[in-house]
Each structure stands twice: as structure tokens, then as C-alpha cells.
Amino acid sequence: AQTVTQSQPEMSVQEAETVTLSCTYDTSESDYYLFWYKQPPSRQMILVIRQEAYKQQNATENRFSVNFQKAAKSFSLKISDSQLGDAAMYFCAYRAQKLVFGQGTRLTINP
Amino acid sequence: EAGVAQSPRYKIIEKRQSVAFWCNPISGHATLYWYQQILGQGPKLLIQFQNNGVVDDSQLPKDRFSAERLKGVDSTLKIQPAKLEDSAVYLCASSRGGADTDTQYFGPGTRLTVL
């Protein structure tokens, strides 16, 4: 079975600084998709960024970028120029047949 | 474009009672998902519909949980009877199709507390 592991239950960063959230996954599939979702206190899951496993180029979305290491089964999220509105739970997710989520990392932004 | 709508936002019930949650997906989205998110964990898929047919319900506790999607639009998730361990946030999501390439869009969820 596919599993997703986020080893950092909590992270904090100073406003305007850069932070990296870690994620590893286990799969025997060769074709799959990886996602980072943000869940603020409102509970609504918001897609931050997605990566297709067949693409070697790392995905970027404005201040958000990923470091995708397929051989190592690693998929970290880098947030640059952190803003107060980035504070939330961040979930890494994997999808081959269905979406499987990690346990989440709570990100705190210090002003 | 309106997002995924869910109601109610909060529900408190006694154990052994019944409860139902409603979801209205984004217009035109063929695929609908129900997830259970226990406090401190990531969401877990309960059931996936493609139009009004069930694609995956392998993790749905069928002795107490049921779901339907009549007419391939709105969906209802029911728990009967509820147990203490059912306390969680129930998230509904929808996507345009059912392909792996499709992004899932989530609703605000229903927080269920079972006393």
C-alpha cells in the first residue's frame, strides 16, 4: 500500500524567511502525481502545488516550489518570503489510483 | 465559479444516533469524493463516485456508513448508528473527471462530534 510520511509535525519560520517542509512516500508505481495542500483553520483544503512523476522539472507556483527526487521518493515544499497568511496545516499527498495524504505539518509564521 | 458546498458545518450528536451530511460539488464535475479527517491526521478516502456510480468504497465502514449520489450531482453521507470514534471532519471533494490528472477541489467540511 502507498504511504506518505511527513516527519515534521510542526515548523516555524520568521516572516519573509524561507522554510522547507519534508515529505517522503512509498510506492511501487512508476506513474503517479504528488501534491501539497494547505488547510487553514477554516478547514478547507487548498491545492498549493502539484507535480507529475514523469516530469523531471520541479514545479513552481509563485513563492512555492518543490524539490522532487523520484529515486529517493522525496517531495519537499519550499516556501519563500513567508507571509502571515501562509500559516496553516500543510499536507503532502500522493495519487496513483486514489489520493493518499500524509499526517500534516503545522506551519507557524512568526512576525 | 462556485466551490464545493457542504452542510451543516458543525454537528453534535449522542452515540447511537444517526446523522447525515450533504455535499453539492462544483457544477459539471463528474467525480465526487467523501473523506474522513480525524483530528491530527490527514484525510482518508471513504468513497468515490463517478457520476452516480460507486468507483471505490473499500474504506467505507459499510455496517454503519452509507452514501448516495442520486442523479449524479448532490451527495449524502449517512452514519447510523454513530460511534464515539466517528468524531471527525467529513470533507467532500469533486473533480472534473476521475482521471489521475484531475485536481480535486475540497469543500469546507462538516465537523462531527459524537458524545
Side-chain angles (χ1 to χ4, degrees), chain A residues 31 33 35 37 39 41-47 50 89 91 95-104, chain B residues 9-10 33 35 37 40-43 45 56 58-59 89 98-104 106 108-109 111:
Chain A
D31 192 18
Y33 298 83
F35 306 85
Y37 279 89
Q39 188 177 41
S42 66
R43 301 198 303 268
Q44 187 145 9
M45 299 285 277
I46 302 165
L47 179 66
R50 60 177 274 166
M89 285 291 290
F91 289 94
R95 181 172 186 180
Q97 288 78 39
K98 62 185 176 186
L99 201 56
V100 177
F101 287 86
Q103 298 285 76
Chain B
R9 292 297 308 277
Y10 303 89
Y33 312 80
Y35 290 85
Q37 185 178 18
Q41 300 182 16
L45 179 68
D56 183 351
S58 58
Q59 298 190 95
V89 174
D100 296 341
T101 53
D102 290 338
T103 296
Q104 295 185 25
F106 285 80
R111 182 182 294 280

Side-chain angles (χ1 to χ4, degrees), chain A residues 19-92:
Chain A
V19 64
T20 299
L21 308 184
S22 301
C23 173
T24 59
Y25 57 95
D26 184 28
T27 183
S28 57
E29 303 279 349
S30 59
D31 192 18
Y32 50 88
Y33 298 83
L34 295 164
F35 306 85
W36 278 97
Y37 279 89
K38 170 185 177 181
Q39 188 177 41
S42 66
R43 301 198 303 268
Q44 187 145 9
M45 299 285 277
I46 302 165
L47 179 66
V48 174
I49 199 165
R50 60 177 274 166
Q51 173 82 42
E52 292 84 352
Y54 63 84
K55 288 187 178 179
Q56 291 186 333
Q57 186 173 5
N58 289 323
T60 62
E61 286 288 343
N62 301 314
R63 298 182 295 107
F64 299 87
S65 61
V66 298
N67 183 4
F68 174 47
Q69 301 290 330
K70 191 171 184 179
K73 297 179 182 176
S74 170
F75 183 61
S76 61
L77 174 70
K78 185 173 81 170
I79 306 174
S80 304
D81 185 25
S82 298
Q83 301 176 0
L84 295 177
D86 295 333
M89 285 291 290
Y90 285 80
F91 289 94
C92 177

Side-chain angles (χ1 to χ4, degrees), chain B residues 22-107:
Chain B
W22 173 82
C23 174
N24 182 235
I26 293 173
S27 177
H29 280 196
T31 307
L32 185 147
Y33 312 80
W34 282 103
Y35 290 85
Q36 180 192 58
Q37 185 178 18
I38 293 173
L39 185 65
Q41 300 182 16
K44 181 185 79 172
L45 179 68
L46 291 176
I47 189 167
Q48 175 183 343
F49 291 95
Q50 180 78 15
N51 296 307
N52 60 350
V54 175
V55 173
D56 183 351
D57 64 356
S58 58
Q59 298 190 95
L60 186 73
K62 298 181 187 62
D63 58 333
R64 298 183 300 105
F65 286 64
S66 64
E68 60 182 10
R69 191 183 183 197
L70 300 177
K71 301 180 182 178
V73 182
D74 293 7
S75 177
T76 303
L77 176 70
K78 296 180 181 178
I79 307 175
Q80 180 180 6
K83 292 185 176 181
L84 296 177
E85 58 261 36
D86 298 332
S87 293
V89 174
Y90 290 85
L91 295 167
C92 179
S94 71
S95 65
R96 192 169 302 277
D100 296 341
T101 53
D102 290 338
T103 296
Q104 295 185 25
Y105 297 89
F106 285 80

